[in-house]
Amino acid sequence: MGRLVEEFNDYRTKMNDRIMETANTNIKRFFALDTTTYAEGALDVKSKEMMGLVASMVLRCDDCIKYHLEKCFDAGVNNAEINEVFMIANLVGGSIVIPHYRRAVEYWDELSL
């Protein structure tokens, strides 16, 4: 994995650990809900992560996009599938998604290093 991926994961881990040092019960429950929502269920993890990626791109959350890109990569999403995910995100979100699309492609490439 490339430098962008390592830097993002290091920062995310560091700050999540810091947050959990003082987090109240509601924050801890929210983090747990986020984790369990993407677990295997009626839908497989791969499908859930692709949906999470589309939503993140439409909402224009670069950290969320990076997180879901890596989860998609880990779930076995291939290049053809990720390009269809990107197309759906651009169609739903419109041209304002294009800058996030560019960064998503860059990050996806880094995951393959």
Side-chain angles (χ1 to χ4, degrees), residues 50 53-54 57-58 65-66 68-69 72 77-94 97-98 100-109 111:
M50 289 188 290
L53 178 56
V54 168
M57 290 182 74
V58 170
I65 292 166
K66 290 174 184 174
H68 288 292
L69 279 168
C72 284
V77 173
N78 63 39
N79 289 336
E81 291 168 324
I82 203 70
N83 281 312
E84 288 193 18
V85 169
F86 291 154
M87 186 60 243
I88 292 167
N90 278 280
L91 178 66
V92 173
V97 173
I98 292 172
H100 304 277
Y101 177 34
R102 288 184 193 114
R103 289 188 290 276
V105 169
E106 178 185 28
Y107 200 80
W108 184 257
D109 290 344
L111 286 165

Side-chain angles (χ1 to χ4, degrees), residues 1-58:
M1 293 194 186
R3 178 189 53 81
L4 288 175
V5 176
E6 289 177 21
E7 288 175 0
F8 173 73
N9 286 329
D10 289 347
Y11 178 77
R12 184 175 181 278
T13 298
K14 177 180 119 180
M15 292 313 299
N16 281 350
D17 290 347
R18 173 65 184 101
I19 288 167
M20 287 302 151
E21 288 174 6
T22 58
N24 64 29
T25 301
N26 289 333
I27 290 294
K28 289 178 181 178
R29 285 179 181 158
F30 183 80
F31 272 60
L33 177 63
D34 182 62
T35 300
T36 58
T37 297
Y38 288 94
E40 193 80 24
L43 295 173
D44 60 75
V45 170
K46 184 176 174 179
S47 296
K48 288 181 177 186
E49 290 300 340
M50 289 188 290
M51 288 190 292
L53 178 56
V54 168
S56 297
M57 290 182 74
V58 170

